[in-house]
Amino acid sequence: MEKPGTNKSDSPSSNPEGLLRLLTRNTAHGPYILGDLREEFRDISDRRGRLLAVLWYWVQVLGIGIPAAVRAVVRNRGGKAEQILQDIGFCLRTLRKRPLFTVISVGTLGLGIGAMTTMYSVVHTILRNDLPYRNADRLVSIWQTSRNTEEGGDESGNRWGRIQLTYPQFNRLSEGSRSFENVAAFHRGPSMILTGGDQPLRVGVGVASASLFSVLGLEPAVGRSFQLGEAAGTPGQAANVAVLDHGFWMSRFGGERDVIGKSLMLDGRTFHVVGVLGPRFRLRSRDEPGSGKGRANLWIPIGQPGRGLNDSALDWEVVGRLAPGVTLEEAEAEAKVLLAGVYQGSETEIRVVPRAADESLTLDPRTALMTGGAGILLLIVFLNVAILFLGEFHGRRQEIATRVALGAGRSRIFRQLMTEGAVLGLMGSGLGILSAVAGTRALVALAPPIPRIDELAVESPALLCAILLGLVGAIVVGTLPVFSQSEGVRSASITTAANRTTTGRSELFQSGLVASEMALTVLLLVFGGLLTRSLIKLQAVDTGFRAQKVATVRVSLPASAQDPEEFFAFARSVVREMESDPEVIRASAAGGLPFGAGMIGGDGLTLGAGDPESPDQAFARRIHVLPEFHETLGIPLLAGRGITYSDGPETPAVMVVSESFAQRSWPNRSAVGETVRHWGEPRTVVGIVGDVKLEELGMDHESSFYVPLAQIPRSEVDFVAQTTGDPARVLHRMRQAVWAIRSDLPVTRTSTLARLVADSAAAERFRAFFMVAFAGAAAILAAGGVFGVTARSVALRRREMGVRLALGAQKTAVMGLVIGGSLRSALIGTALGLTGALAVSQLLSGFLFGVRAWDPLTYVGVALWVTVTCVVASFAPARVATDVDPLEALRV
Amino acid sequence: MPGSKSLGEFEHLVLLAVLQLKADARAIDIRAHILEQVGRSVSRGALYSSLERLEKKGFLSWEVEDTTPERGGIPRRRFFVTEPGLEAVRNSLRAISILSDGLGEVLG
């Protein structure tokens, strides 16, 4: 729990502070320095903002922590450390003399390490299992599972499907169990509308029993949690109190502690704030992720009017704290006995599992794909830096020869190069950490469909990963030149070193580096290309309706408004009000909108009105609509008529079916006039409309049928309006139109239909964007690598070029020689990369739509692109080669 | 013997700042004082290592004060110059005074 008097903006995050504590632990001043910095941090945070304060703190960690740690090492190690310090000092001086090399190396390393650290943080967040609860090992979840789903398994890889409990089941456990110290129930309820501010705000609401926070062992940081009498087993009997989530408290109330006792207007009712949760509070409900429900902004007690106490509703996630000495099996046995009479059905059974098992996830394929992409990019970075180091080594042959001549052994030179690698690696790690902090922030802001994205941050293990990657990677690539050119080091002499041309072995080594870099780049380019082509195909899919110029608002209706007559009158009035807007051509409504995130149910239907046991069964998706819905969305009427205002609650039951449903069910005759038994009642098919996609662009058309909303109302309705211009402009007025008829109803979503369709491809867009970003960065690095190697090769072969020109070689021939040389290694790399891509692109096939993993266009395109890039990158060095003055080249 | 140890230029400044600040000589204030009075921006790393060195030489000592909430429970330190430290400052100033004698024209 947080200490009183502090909040998030008062102190830096635990990472930099922990690192500084570690670095200064051997100094007498360590703890006091931390105190001083905290004081200054708060001051800077108040004056300049938290982001700058955090950056400032990191600078202090480097400026104070590292010198302090080095001094401590020197004190402890004496002479050896002195030598290391000498090496570091020498290395820093030489790096300062070569600013371009230093900046490019550190920048390149920072890019790769940053990308990898960001992805490491994502993976770590998904896989970690650190529950923030007190004695988390005693915390369990109580589920029921259907025996039928035993062999099925859910998306998290668990082998049985979890089903929540009903309120009476929770109640029985709460009152009768001895195996648990206490149990608590909660669920993420429908959102509520917070009014009283500038405009109504939709807030995520968690509903919980009074015991929740004490069961978890996470009491509010400010104020108190719910008291026993505040939650109730009868709807409408609960106290109107709320406990705020820490993030919501910070964003809405600026972290003001006097929020306790303040009132909030939620769905037209007044709630009093009694507590604020600490920043560590985190309860991962089974509703999340992927349910579209984000983190709860506030918690209210069970027993709110109209909120899920329905006896049969499987709404409640139940957690319990095991009593001392009770095992999981004993608790499960007792729960089975207790709940024997209140089961949902004979096919279910009770399971008690550690809470940790519920909150752990496995790595999803898309995150694995992105991590793989970042890993390949990092390899390319190291290869690039290796090429840079090799070039520098060539440039410093004279210096190294001098040192060898003065008695420095090979090990001394090796150590020096290793130190340089380590120093550059650490600098790259520093930059990588900063990029990862920025990268994770960007990811959180983009909110891609990655599990637990709201918990993402660069934490200690990721910092360690960045530092290790930088150190080990840079040391390995930094010392490679010694192995590639050991001959050079051994036989170096002052007089010849500067004039030696590149040896065959080192040239081969460089070509190998370029070819490897190209191969990996080609791999990323192919992946990026395939995902992009797949996205383009996906976005070009015909949805069957017109998404442009359609605006939509979702309205939640209280149970009292669901009487068919009253509902029909309300919906009709809202539509009329909306249609009075000059920018609205026509309006309608639906219970379940295509791409509207859920709400579209599906039913088994019996074809023919007569025998309910008839074998003619069909399954189709059900959408409830008001008249003119199909016209508003431009769904064509193919036969018969659409739903009209004459299809009211008291008139004969009718339905309109989709084309594919009609063809499948009545293949040789018109469906119009046929009867279908739905929910036990006969309905007449009055019309046929075109097929539409319902949820995902990549899925096939599904059979669907439309029933009049007036005959079967729904608790949430999406009003839709076809507009003359930009649909976003009328959203505000549509909301006002709802409130003009019923001012107390929350409008829970305002959007355009085009936006909803686009959002359905968010995962694909995000994947393609990232892979293209990785591939783009890789392509730039690879081009830089080709340029560097070619330029160095030209510099070392000046004399040869001079001789060729002196002997009458054409300039174009010399250019061809240079460009051809670099093309050769690049093409070998490209061939390897394309082969590799062919071999592993099958892994991508699950992500592709309308494109095969061996799509020839992508492969040929990438090969051409790489060839052109290589020619462009080696063009400038080739021009330099033709400018060599033969006389000057031969003079030495 | 501490008094015979030499005093670096920056150490000299730190000791003088501590003497001037008297009861307010905390690390943050020492740094701010040198910046305000001399216009010299000192990195925190350099200041902390100087304070540590001066303490080792026996020129500086400190005592702990009460903490404040914004320090997260970590107490503050108030520095003071020890007798050998004072002696070292005196010696240093005397040496400067002797060596600058007669250099009025050059030094202005």
Side-chain angles (χ1 to χ4, degrees):
Chain A
M1 206 166 69
E2 235 191 348
K3 284 190 184 79
T6 64
N7 66 40
K8 205 179 167 191
S9 67
D10 288 345
S11 56
S13 70
S14 56
N15 290 325
E17 200 169 54
L19 184 60
L20 186 59
R21 182 175 292 123
L22 187 75
L23 291 171
T24 56
R25 72 188 166 147
N26 288 328
T27 69
H29 302 252
Y32 302 104
I33 295 175
L34 292 181
D36 288 349
L37 291 186
R38 263 203 177 198
E39 206 174 327
E40 287 194 79
F41 177 88
R42 181 180 170 138
D43 184 43
I44 294 170
S45 179
D46 287 348
R47 282 188 293 115
R48 304 240 178 112
R50 188 173 160 81
L51 181 64
L52 272 182
V54 169
L55 283 176
W56 170 85
Y57 202 95
W58 273 109
V59 172
Q60 302 313 314
V61 171
L62 299 177
I64 300 174
I66 292 179
V70 170
R71 276 197 304 277
V73 171
V74 172
R75 262 201 309 273
N76 296 339
R77 289 285 176 85
K80 194 143 196 179
E82 197 78 34
Q83 242 180 22
I84 294 173
L85 279 185
Q86 267 179 16
D87 277 354
I88 292 174
F90 178 74
C91 161
L92 288 175
R93 282 194 299 279
T94 53
L95 289 180
R96 203 179 299 159
K97 279 187 212 152
R98 298 175 287 155
L100 193 64
F101 165 74
T102 310
V103 167
I104 293 177
S105 309
V106 172
T108 312
L109 282 170
L111 173 80
I113 294 171
M116 194 62 211
T117 309
T118 304
M119 285 319 299
Y120 180 86
S121 299
V122 171
V123 173
H124 176 71
T125 306
I126 292 172
L127 295 185
R128 76 166 161 212
N129 215 355
D130 56 333
L131 306 185
Y133 319 125
R134 172 174 57 87
N135 296 337
D137 57 324
R138 302 297 291 164
L139 205 62
V140 296
S141 301
I142 301 115
W143 299 101
Q144 52 193 336
T145 179
S146 165
R147 292 201 178 100
N148 297 333
T149 64
E150 202 82 353
E151 301 303 322
D154 60 19
E155 62 198 17
S156 311
N158 299 297
R159 285 192 300 280
W160 50 280
R162 288 158 162 76
I163 303 173
Q164 277 110 320
L165 303 194
T166 63
Y167 187 76
Q169 285 178 316
F170 158 67
N171 226 5
R172 175 70 67 89
L173 276 178
S174 175
E175 285 166 2
S177 171
R178 289 162 184 277
S179 302
F180 300 103
E181 275 179 14
N182 205 349
V183 290
F186 67 95
H187 80 134
R188 175 73 166 73
S191 305
M192 293 174 92
I193 303 296
L194 175 65
T195 46
D198 295 341
Q199 34 178 245
L201 181 72
R202 190 167 86 144
V203 291
V205 177
V207 184
S209 61
S211 50
L212 179 67
F213 304 112
S214 64
V215 167
L216 299 178
L218 288 172
E219 293 294 333
V222 183
R224 61 171 178 84
S225 60
F226 302 135
Q227 290 169 348
L228 263 187
E230 287 175 339
T234 317
Q237 297 297 306
N240 286 351
V241 291
V243 171
L244 306 185
D245 183 67
H246 193 269
F248 182 65
W249 176 54
M250 293 299 288
S251 62
R252 181 79 183 178
F253 298 96
E256 289 295 334
R257 298 172 71 82
D258 61 4
V259 70
I260 303 299
K262 278 196 174 159
S263 50
L264 300 174
M265 191 63 84
L266 289 168
D267 279 3
R269 290 186 294 133
T270 307
F271 284 77
H272 296 284
V273 177
V274 294
V276 178
L277 297 168
R280 292 181 64 232
F281 180 85
R282 186 181 69 219
L283 186 57
R284 297 180 185 129
S285 164
R286 294 296 294 179
D287 282 342
E288 309 162 37
S291 64
K293 291 177 177 176
R295 189 176 168 134
N297 298 122
L298 52 88
W299 291 84
I300 57 176
I302 286 182
Q304 302 298 326
R307 276 188 173 244
L309 286 185
N310 186 334
D311 278 2
S312 61
L314 296 161
D315 274 345
W316 300 97
E317 199 164 322
V318 177
V319 288
R321 185 168 285 283
L322 291 176
V326 175
T327 65
L328 210 61
E329 293 72 27
E330 287 165 352
E332 186 171 287
E334 190 203 39
K336 277 180 178 168
V337 173
L338 273 176
L339 298 180
V342 277
Y343 269 13
Q344 268 297 298
S346 57
E347 290 304 308
T348 56
E349 67 174 42
I350 295 296
R351 291 278 180 91
V352 175
V353 292
R355 184 70 195 163
D358 279 331
E359 299 203 4
S360 64
L361 293 174
T362 49
L363 198 59
D364 57 315
R366 58 187 166 219
T367 312
L369 178 75
M370 283 168 59
T371 312
I376 295 176
L377 181 63
L378 186 66
L379 279 178
I380 294 172
V381 159
F382 284 140
L383 288 169
N384 218 43
V385 175
I387 291 172
L388 275 170
F389 270 81
L390 216 54
E392 277 305 296
F393 191 78
H394 270 292
R396 293 169 64 193
R397 286 163 69 87
Q398 178 118 39
E399 172 210 321
I400 290 168
T402 309
R403 299 185 71 195
V404 171
L406 291 175
R410 192 178 170 195
S411 66
R412 187 76 181 86
I413 301 288
F414 185 78
R415 208 175 72 204
Q416 181 59 39
L417 289 176
M418 208 169 83
T419 312
E420 280 180 24
V423 168
L424 282 173
L426 278 178
M427 287 161 96
S429 298
L431 187 65
I433 289 169
L434 289 178
S435 335
V437 169
T440 48
R441 273 167 197 260
L443 272 184
V444 173
L446 286 170
I450 291 177
R452 296 182 186 168
I453 187 71
D454 56 330
E455 294 173 23
L456 181 61
V458 180
E459 294 182 350
S460 312
L463 293 179
L464 195 67
C465 155
I467 292 169
L468 279 179
L469 280 177
L471 263 182
V472 176
I475 287 176
V476 169
V477 298
T479 49
L480 274 183
V482 175
F483 300 108
S484 77
Q485 316 199 357
S486 56
E487 192 60 29
V489 174
R490 264 203 298 275
S491 65
S493 74
I494 299 174
T495 49
T496 59
N499 303 325
R500 281 172 67 97
T501 56
T502 174
T503 64
R505 181 176 168 181
S506 90
E507 193 156 14
L508 195 66
F509 189 70
Q510 286 191 36
S511 302
L513 289 179
V514 170
S516 315
E517 196 176 5
M518 275 297 166
L520 293 170
T521 304
V522 163
L523 205 60
L524 281 184
L525 282 169
V526 167
F527 285 5
L530 286 175
L531 289 175
T532 307
R533 284 203 8 101
S534 165
L535 179 65
I536 292 169
K537 292 238 172 181
L538 195 63
Q539 286 177 332
V541 159
D542 178 19
T543 55
F545 60 86
R546 185 195 53 242
Q548 302 307 317
K549 295 191 180 176
V550 177
T552 168
V553 295
R554 176 170 286 182
V555 178
S556 290
L557 297 155
S560 60
Q562 286 173 36
D563 167 65
E565 291 283 357
E566 194 186 328
F567 171 81
F568 195 37
F570 159 74
R572 200 169 174 171
S573 306
V574 172
V575 165
R576 263 198 222 111
E577 185 72 24
M578 284 176 178
E579 284 180 339
S580 68
D581 189 315
E583 284 194 59
V584 171
I585 298 169
R586 60 167 70 84
S588 183
L593 193 62
F595 295 88
M599 283 186 53
I600 300 183
D603 291 318
L605 301 164
T606 308
L607 306 181
D611 180 12
E613 302 298 316
S614 155
D616 274 345
Q617 296 284 331
F619 178 86
R621 306 291 297 272
R622 164 177 35 90
I623 303 171
H624 308 225
V625 295
L626 276 191
E628 298 223 321
F629 174 77
H630 297 108
E631 290 84 345
T632 308
L633 263 66
I635 302 170
L637 179 68
L638 303 176
R641 66 167 177 90
I643 305 289
T644 67
Y645 278 108
S646 59
D647 299 315
E650 304 301 331
T651 59
V654 295
M655 65 162 62
V656 167
V657 295
S658 72
E659 189 182 8
S660 58
F661 182 21
Q663 281 173 357
R664 203 167 300 154
S665 303
W666 301 279
N668 300 316
R669 59 181 195 273
S670 170
V672 177
E674 293 288 340
T675 305
V676 173
R677 193 172 277 276
H678 170 238
W679 291 356
E681 298 296 328
R683 273 185 188 276
T684 308
V685 176
V686 294
I688 303 170
V689 293
D691 283 321
V692 295
K693 302 257 180 191
L694 294 181
E695 273 146 9
E696 285 180 34
L697 290 167
M699 281 170 68
D700 288 337
H701 291 294
E702 284 182 88
S703 295
S704 44
F705 66 101
Y706 301 83
V707 294
L709 252 176
Q711 293 180 346
I712 315 178
R714 298 215 58 181
S715 59
E716 280 196 303
V717 177
D718 291 305
F719 285 94
V720 284
Q722 184 189 353
T723 60
T724 53
D726 179 5
R729 276 213 309 267
V730 305
L731 286 173
H732 176 68
R733 296 202 294 275
M734 284 175 76
R735 207 161 41 181
Q736 295 302 328
V738 173
W739 288 333
I741 308 301
R742 283 281 300 266
S743 60
D744 58 329
L745 293 183
V747 174
T748 53
R749 182 178 68 193
T750 58
S751 181
T752 66
L753 195 52
R755 171 95 251 151
L756 293 181
V757 174
D759 283 351
S760 76
E764 286 79 3
R765 198 171 305 117
F766 180 75
R767 229 164 18 224
F769 169 78
F770 253 77
M771 200 51 86
V772 167
F774 286 155
I780 293 170
L781 289 176
V786 170
F787 174 83
V789 168
T790 316
R792 190 173 319 118
S793 159
V794 167
L796 291 168
R797 292 167 67 190
R798 279 178 72 83
R799 197 193 294 184
E800 179 199 331
M801 299 299 169
V803 172
R804 283 177 188 273
L805 288 168
L807 293 176
Q810 292 292 313
K811 288 195 170 188
T812 47
V814 171
M815 277 183 81
L817 184 74
V818 174
I819 294 176
S822 61
L823 256 183
R824 197 165 41 241
S825 33
L827 287 180
I828 293 172
T830 306
L832 284 173
L834 290 177
T835 316
L838 263 177
V840 296
S841 61
Q842 280 307 318
L843 297 174
L844 273 188
S845 53
F847 296 113
L848 299 180
F849 172 80
V851 179
R852 283 168 305 178
W854 56 89
D855 176 49
L857 194 66
T858 307
Y859 283 74
V860 172
V862 167
L864 280 176
W865 170 261
V866 169
T867 310
V868 171
T869 307
C870 184
V871 170
V872 171
S874 49
F875 189 76
R879 280 291 302 273
V880 171
T882 62
D883 289 343
V884 173
D885 178 357
L887 285 178
E888 186 201 334
L890 293 170
R891 193 169 297 146
V892 186
Chain B
M1 182 158 139
S4 64
K5 287 177 183 160
S6 63
L7 206 53
E9 186 255 355
F10 180 58
E11 292 172 344
H12 199 150
L13 286 185
V14 171
L15 287 180
L16 290 173
V18 172
L19 286 168
Q20 285 203 333
L21 284 165
K22 292 177 186 143
D24 292 325
R26 297 170 199 98
I28 299 175
D29 302 311
I30 296 168
R31 188 173 165 272
H33 190 74
I34 293 174
L35 180 64
E36 274 166 27
Q37 300 297 319
V38 193
R40 182 160 162 184
S41 175
V42 181
S43 80
R44 288 165 186 79
L47 177 69
Y48 285 117
S49 69
S50 276
L51 291 171
E52 196 176 334
R53 248 188 342 263
L54 286 167
E55 194 195 336
K56 279 218 184 83
K57 288 177 181 178
F59 294 164
L60 211 55
S61 188
W62 47 271
E63 59 191 26
V64 169
E65 288 184 337
D66 286 345
T67 182
T68 54
E70 60 266 29
R71 293 179 62 88
I74 303 169
R76 275 180 169 152
R77 287 177 306 167
R78 192 179 68 76
F79 290 89
F80 56 88
V81 179
T82 59
E83 197 47 49
L86 208 55
E87 187 57 32
V89 174
R90 281 195 201 110
N91 287 342
S92 176
L93 286 176
R94 199 175 304 127
I96 290 172
S97 166
I98 291 167
L99 288 174
S100 46
D101 198 27
L103 294 176
E105 256 181 48
V106 185
L107 299 175

